[in-house]
Amino acid sequence: MSTPPPGPENRDDRTPDDRTADDRTADDRTADDRIPDADGAATGSAGAGTPGPAEPGPGPAAHGGARRDGASPAAAGADEATAPGSGAGAPAAAPPDPAGAGAVRRPRRRRRWVVLGLLAVLLVLLGAGAAAVWRLQSNLSTSPLDLGGGEKVENGPLDILVMGTDTREGEGNDAYGDDEDSSGAGLTDVMMLVHVPEDRQDVTVVSFPRDLVVDLPRCTDPESGRTHPAEEDAMLNSAIANGGPGCTVATLNELTGLSIDHFMLADFQAVKELSTAVGGVEVCVNEAVEDPKSGLDLPAGVSAVEGEQALAFLRSRAAFGDGGDQSRIRSQQSFLASLARKVREEGTLTDLPRLYTIADVATRNLHVDDDLGSVPTMVGLATALRGFDLAGTAFVTVPTEPYALDPNRLQLDEEAAGDLFERLRQDRSLTDAPDPAATPSSSPTGAGTPEQTPSVDRAAVPLTVADASGVEDRDRQVAELLEDEGWAPEPIGAVTAPLPTTQVFFGPGWYGPATEVAEQLGVPSAQLVPTTTIDGVQVSVGGNFTEGERLETGSVLPGDLQGQTADQVTCQQAAGDW
C-alpha cells in the first residue's frame, strides 16, 4: 500500500517547477536543531545534551570573531586562559575596589565564578581535570546577541533562538555544495525559538519557515561597523547576512514582542557530530524513502539515524509531504521530539561523564552569543531542565498564510500568530490535559468526544482501516468501532511495516470527515496526514492502539496550532504528486 504524506494543512503548495532557483538550492540546505536547556540562575540558554534542536554549527567565519573581551576567535583560544569569565577554578578578577571600581561588576558574574569552580571540582572527581573546563571554554565561538540594540531581560522565562545555517564555509561543509549554493554566513534555513518558562517545566519550540516575509530592522555589523538599513518585505532567512545571527535575533524580537536571551547557530558538521554524540535518534517513515538530493535512504518503519543520515533527514525537502518547507519543519519537529524522549529516558542530563562528552562536541560545533559563551552558563541550562515534562514540551509552527504578493512565499497569519506570541509573552503553557467533557473543535486534538452531530453522511465516506499495529485482526476491531458510529469502514489487513503510532490519512477534499474519525478514536491532530494517494480517509492502526476503543492522549495543543508534543511519536510520509 502507498500511504499518505505528512504535513500540516497550511502547507507549501509549490511544485518543484514553481520554485525559484533560490528555492531549489534550498533543498541542499540544512535543517536541524537541538532544544536547549534552561538556566535557572543568571541567564541560561541552550546547552549541550539538552532536548532539542541542533543544526549547523560553528557559525560563519565572518561573524565568529566578536567576543565579550573583543578578541578574535583565534586569539580567544589563547587569551581565555587568563580572561575573566573563561577560566576554570580560581577567578582571575581582582577583588572589588572599596572605592567603587569593583562595585559595577554584576552579581551574575560572581555566580558564574562559583559555578565554574564547582564544575572544575566535578570534572576533577570524574578524572577529567580542570583542564577539561579550559578546553570547553576555548572551544566556544561567539558574537553579539542583538544587533538591533535591544535590551536583554535578566530574569523570568528564557527565550533561545536555535538556528541552522546552510553555509558551505567551515570544515566539512563544502561537501554539500560550493559558494554558488551559499557563501559567507549563508542563510538561516532553520529557525526555532525555544521558550523555557520561569518554572522550567514545560518547553515550547516555535518553528519559523525560511520563506516567511517580514520586516528587517536596522542592524550594525559588529566586525565591519557597516550599518544595514531596515528593509520591508524581506525573507526572514536573509537577516543573518546583515551583520550576523544577532540581526535575526533583532528581527524576531520585533516580530514577536519577546526579548530573546540567547542564540545558538549550527552548520552541517554540527548536525552530524551532535547526532552521533547522543548515540543516534529514532525516526519513523510510513514507507521506504530514497532522496538523491539529500542522500536520505530509509526503509519503512523506525530507524536510528546519526551522522550523514541524520543530516539528510533534517535537510530533505523533496522526500516528505508536498516537498515544501512546512513538510520539512514537520520532520524536524518529529526528530527533536524523538531526541527529547531519548535524552529524558536515558538520563543524559544527570549523567555527568556523558554530558561532558556531548558538551565537548557542542562547544566545538556551535556558534553562540557572547553571554552564552560561558561553560557555567551552558552547564546551568542542562541542570535546570533535568525535570522537563515530555507531555508539556510542544513543537509548533508559527501560523502563516500565503504571502499576498507571491504565493510561493509566506506571511504571518496575524490573528493566530498574535495569539501564540501573546501566550509566550505571558509565559503560558501551550499544552493542557484533555478534558473529556470538552466541546470538539473544528481541528481535531484528541480531546473531543465521539458523541457529536455528524457533519457528513458517514456511510457515504470512502473509509478504510489498515493494520500497522502488529496485532492480528486489529484493523477489523477498529473497523467495528467505527461502524457502530455510522461509518462504513473496510478493513484491509496488514499493508505496511509495523508502525509505532496511529495515523489518519485523508485525500483532497476529505479533511472534514477525517477530523471526525480522528476525534472519535482520540487521534491527535499531529497524526492527521494529507495525501494524494488515497481517495477518501484511511486509518492506519499503529502500535500505540493495540486495544481499547480510544487512544490515551496525554496532552493536546490548541486547535489553531500545527505541531506535536514531545511524548507523541510521529511518522513522516513520502512525498506525493502535489
Side-chain angles (χ1 to χ4, degrees):
M1 162 192 117
S2 183
T3 28
E9 293 73 47
N10 186 12
R11 60 180 183 270
D12 182 343
D13 291 322
R14 292 172 286 169
T15 64
D17 292 337
D18 290 332
R19 301 189 186 116
T20 63
D22 175 66
D23 293 325
R24 286 191 294 273
T25 59
D27 289 333
D28 294 328
R29 294 175 183 160
T30 178
D32 169 51
D33 324 67
R34 243 155 263 260
I35 210 180
D37 303 327
D39 173 5
T43 49
S45 131
T50 92
E55 208 304 38
H63 302 288
R67 307 181 66 90
R68 275 191 303 276
D69 55 9
S72 68
D79 293 345
E80 285 196 329
T82 56
S86 64
D97 180 2
V104 297
R105 183 176 294 278
R106 290 186 295 178
R108 182 163 59 93
R109 175 73 76 181
R110 293 196 295 270
R111 289 198 298 270
R112 283 186 178 177
W113 278 116
V114 172
V115 177
L116 190 55
L118 292 174
L119 177 63
V121 172
L122 286 173
L123 291 174
V124 169
L125 293 175
L126 293 170
V133 180
W134 296 107
R135 174 179 173 178
L136 294 181
Q137 190 71 53
S138 62
N139 284 345
L140 288 165
S141 171
T142 71
S143 60
L145 172 65
D146 185 349
L147 301 187
E151 294 186 2
K152 183 178 169 218
V153 177
E154 293 290 335
N155 300 312
L158 282 170
D159 291 293
I160 306 151
L161 181 60
V162 180
M163 296 170 280
T165 174
D166 67 353
T167 182
R168 267 60 177 185
E169 296 184 354
E171 181 182 355
N173 293 323
D174 58 356
Y176 307 97
D178 52 30
D179 285 352
E180 292 184 2
D181 297 309
S182 183
S183 61
L187 299 172
T188 47
D189 284 345
V190 175
M191 289 162 285
M192 291 186 168
L193 180 62
V194 181
H195 178 82
V196 184
E198 190 167 10
D199 64 11
R200 306 303 191 243
Q201 294 301 307
D202 298 344
V203 177
T204 299
V205 183
V206 182
S207 293
F208 291 83
R210 69 177 191 88
D211 289 340
L212 188 63
V213 175
V214 299
D215 294 338
L216 304 184
R218 179 176 178 269
C219 293
T220 300
D221 189 315
E223 295 215 346
S224 68
R226 176 188 173 189
T227 296
H228 297 266
E231 298 179 49
E232 293 184 354
D233 297 337
M235 293 272 285
L236 177 58
N237 69 342
S238 68
I240 191 174
N242 292 358
C247 193
T248 307
V249 169
T251 301
L252 288 178
N253 278 343
E254 290 197 1
L255 191 69
T256 64
L258 295 165
S259 179
I260 294 174
D261 298 279
H262 298 290
F263 71 73
M264 302 175 69
L265 182 69
D267 63 7
F268 296 134
Q269 196 66 21
V271 176
K272 295 192 298 183
E273 292 201 21
L274 284 167
S275 62
T276 300
V278 298
V281 177
E282 287 191 344
V283 298
C284 176
V285 294
N286 290 319
E287 48 192 308
V289 172
E290 185 174 358
D291 175 19
K293 289 186 176 181
S294 66
L296 183 64
D297 186 1
L298 293 175
V302 177
S303 302
V305 296
E306 61 181 77
E308 292 286 354
Q309 281 297 288
L311 176 61
F313 183 85
L314 292 162
R315 289 178 61 211
S316 182
R317 277 168 57 110
F320 302 126
D322 60 5
D325 202 42
Q326 298 277 7
S327 295
R328 182 167 65 173
I329 285 175
R330 187 178 190 271
S331 63
Q332 293 166 9
Q333 292 171 339
S334 179
F335 181 97
L336 295 175
S338 179
L339 175 64
R341 293 192 297 272
K342 180 183 179 74
V343 166
R344 184 59 187 270
E345 290 164 5
E346 296 183 358
T348 300
L349 298 182
T350 57
D351 184 341
L352 289 177
R354 188 175 183 191
L355 194 57
Y356 171 76
T357 299
I358 296 173
D360 182 47
V361 173
T363 54
R364 284 190 284 106
N365 286 281
L366 296 177
H367 178 87
V368 300
D369 64 276
D370 289 339
D371 281 348
L372 187 53
S374 154
V375 172
T377 302
M378 300 187 82
V379 171
L381 288 174
T383 56
L385 275 190
R386 286 180 298 184
F388 76 94
D389 178 27
L390 289 173
T393 299
F395 297 90
V396 299
T397 304
V398 66
T400 60
E401 60 189 13
Y403 177 48
L405 301 180
D406 182 355
N408 291 332
R409 300 288 181 257
L410 298 170
Q411 64 187 27
L412 286 183
D413 177 332
E414 294 290 348
E415 182 176 356
D419 289 344
L420 171 61
F421 299 153
E422 180 66 17
R423 288 184 184 118
L424 297 179
R425 290 193 297 267
Q426 293 181 0
D427 200 22
R428 290 160 45 201
S429 172
L430 293 187
T431 58
D432 295 298
D435 179 3
T439 301
S441 66
S442 60
S443 179
T445 63
T449 62
E451 294 78 27
Q452 56 181 307
T453 302
S455 62
V456 297
D457 180 358
R458 293 181 171 182
V461 174
L463 175 60
T464 56
V465 183
D467 189 359
S469 70
V471 175
E472 188 176 358
D473 288 334
R474 184 56 178 161
D475 59 320
R476 294 184 182 278
Q477 296 169 12
V478 173
E480 290 174 1
L481 295 174
L482 292 167
E483 189 173 1
D484 291 342
E485 297 299 326
W487 304 94
E490 178 187 355
I492 56 177
V495 293
T496 187
L499 297 172
T501 192
T502 299
Q503 301 166 91
V504 177
F505 299 105
F506 61 94
W510 295 103
Y511 173 71
T515 65
E516 291 189 20
V517 170
E519 285 175 345
Q520 180 186 330
L521 298 177
V523 177
S525 58
Q527 310 292 5
L528 265 176
V529 185
T531 180
T532 59
T533 61
I534 290 176
D535 180 18
V537 179
Q538 182 176 104
V539 177
S540 174
V541 184
N544 64 338
F545 193 24
T546 58
E547 59 183 15
E549 298 184 358
R550 281 175 59 83
L551 274 168
E552 295 295 327
T553 305
S555 59
V556 296
L557 297 176
D560 58 346
L561 294 177
Q562 302 166 15
Q564 68 171 97
T565 55
D567 62 342
Q568 294 174 341
V569 178
T570 52
C571 298
Q572 308 312 302
Q573 176 62 33
D577 182 10
W578 294 91

